[in-house]
Amino acid sequence: MFEYDVIIIGAGVSGAAIARELSRYQTRICVLEKEEDVCCGTSKANSAIIHAGYDAVTGSLKAKLNVRGNEMMEQLAKDLDFPFQRNGSLVLCLNESDMPNLQMLFERGIANGVKGLQILDREEVLKMEPNLTNQVYAALYAPTGGIVCPFGMNIAFAENAYANGVEFKFNTEVQAIRKLEEGFELQTDTGTFRSGYVVNAAGVYADRFHNMVSEKKIHIIPRRGSYCLLDKSAGKHVSRTIFALPGKLGKGILITPTIHGNLLMGPTATDITDKEGTNTTGKELDQVISNAGRLVNNIPFRQVITSFSGLRAHEDGAEFIIEEPEDAKGFVDCAGIESPGLTSAPAIGEMVAQILKEKMELKEKDNFIVTRKGILDPKSLTKEERNELIRENPAYGNIICRCEMITEGEIIDAIRRPLGARSLDGVKRRTRAGMGRCQSGFCSPRTMEILARECHLSMYEITKSGSGSEIVVGRNKDDWETV
């Protein structure tokens, strides 16, 4: 007898989307995540854009799942209450000699089923985006492109899956997988789990787990991408996502507004060996700034408030791997999920759930919960509604993060809700407390106090992002009482 019917390795956006789709069925599901929260890997550090679907090779899984995921996004954002906007995208052609490449992208997009594509001339493009480089010759316009909050999307999938019965075990690192006569045994740093089926949604580590059970090896290269984030004062410098024509390593540097009103530039593309190598380098950030300046004029670079990098799981075949290995039936790979992985995540969830539905002969639940409500944002209320909210709960009148105007009430909600925050970064991803101009310089002590009080922890136990990132050090721990 297995503890679970399905174990999913990884609580990133793909793993969470798969968990949500599988939770439609009568089955016991568990998600194992080595970090302290959902959305701690590739899913937390990316371009936060919803691709239209013209870039991937026609007929590839990337192409099919990109377009399907894009189509699903509007309804999902409504059902699961996460921010999403179709702002459209532009791929710039700077030289007449590159027009055949732009035309190829257009034709590929049409073949992939992307709706509304147009090739615009210089005058049409500059009318849309006056701050673009004067060197622009033409552009491919994709009105179905969009922007999203990747944290909000990932957390929404996970919370909805949890509401539908999926278990999540954090701080649980899978160390080995053994095929049994039936099913699999997973050894972790917290114990051993047995499951009839395993879904491998482990990001840059997916090759490691695949290679434990299959003789047909795969190889994933961590491809690091660095970004610069600008203050909201620069957020309207462009209104659409601006790309250069794609190169050998991908789509190159983009400039885009974010769903929360900032301006984002990046990513670079550097293949590395360290699967945890999310450090930034001066060379890569210089590359971001230099290349962004070639596409858009007068970017206010002095308004950069932070830089960061993330890792893309680039598989040698440059394609999503979503299938069972021939020699490891019951083990379903969800590997090589790089761009457009965020866009494709809902469709990846559908595809993996369909594979397992057929293999396991799953039956749908009668009581599947379709919707989920996110954290209440008092700024979305009228003045009268906000005043009434504060009268009912004074915590919503106590501003903790001045840059983003986040209240104590929102932070308490982020901690108390299903799969609630247990770290500063967990609060940040759910509420944006600490994401503003001062980058948590003012609000982190107060947020720590709230975490300590709500979670019944000492200040010594509060972390930035899980074990090993404790913030208060250097005194006798006995001097601190548990709040």
Side-chain angles (χ1 to χ4, degrees), residues 24-27 357 360-366:
R24 296 176 182 273
Y25 304 103
Q26 299 173 24
T27 186
K357 177 188 176 184
M360 301 170 69
E361 299 181 350
L362 297 176
K363 296 180 180 179
E364 291 193 22
K365 294 175 179 174
D366 295 327

Side-chain angles (χ1 to χ4, degrees), residues 239-253:
S239 59
R240 294 162 187 84
T241 302
I242 310 301
F243 295 100
L245 275 170
K248 185 171 63 174
L249 290 179
K251 303 174 186 72
I253 303 300

Side-chain angles (χ1 to χ4, degrees), residues 29-51:
I29 307 162
C30 181
V31 178
L32 302 181
E33 170 55 53
K34 72 184 181 73
E35 303 295 344
E36 53 95 24
D37 198 359
V38 304
C39 199
C40 286
T42 296
S43 301
K44 75 172 182 180
N46 53 65
S47 303
I49 59 176
I50 300 303
H51 290 282

Side-chain angles (χ1 to χ4, degrees), residues 169-183:
K169 295 187 182 298
F170 298 109
N171 299 307
T172 303
E173 182 175 358
V174 177
Q175 297 174 329
I177 304 174
R178 185 165 68 93
K179 286 190 292 184
L180 306 175
E181 191 171 325
E182 287 187 23

Side-chain angles (χ1 to χ4, degrees), residues 7-29:
I7 284 179
I8 300 168
I9 306 173
V13 71
S14 295
I18 293 164
R20 180 185 186 256
E21 284 297 322
L22 276 176
S23 71
R24 296 176 182 273
Y25 304 103
Q26 299 173 24
T27 186
R28 297 165 301 164
I29 307 162

Side-chain angles (χ1 to χ4, degrees), residues 266-323:
T268 53
T270 305
D271 289 346
I272 61 175
T273 56
D274 182 3
K275 291 180 183 284
E276 299 291 334
T278 56
N279 57 296
T280 57
T281 69
K283 180 180 179 181
E284 289 176 7
L285 296 178
D286 286 345
Q287 186 182 343
V288 171
I289 290 170
S290 173
N291 288 358
R294 294 192 183 103
L295 300 179
V296 177
N297 289 328
N298 304 314
I299 297 173
F301 295 117
R302 290 176 62 86
Q303 297 301 314
V304 171
I305 59 173
T306 191
S307 59
F308 63 92
S309 72
L311 301 179
R312 288 161 276 179
H314 179 72
E315 203 278 325
D316 289 349
E319 170 65 309
F320 295 164
I321 300 174
I322 304 176
E323 62 188 11

Side-chain angles (χ1 to χ4, degrees), residues 186-204:
L186 289 79
Q187 296 175 3
T188 78
D189 56 354
T190 63
T192 300
F193 298 84
R194 290 192 174 195
S195 175
Y197 294 81
V198 171
V199 176
N200 174 22
V204 294

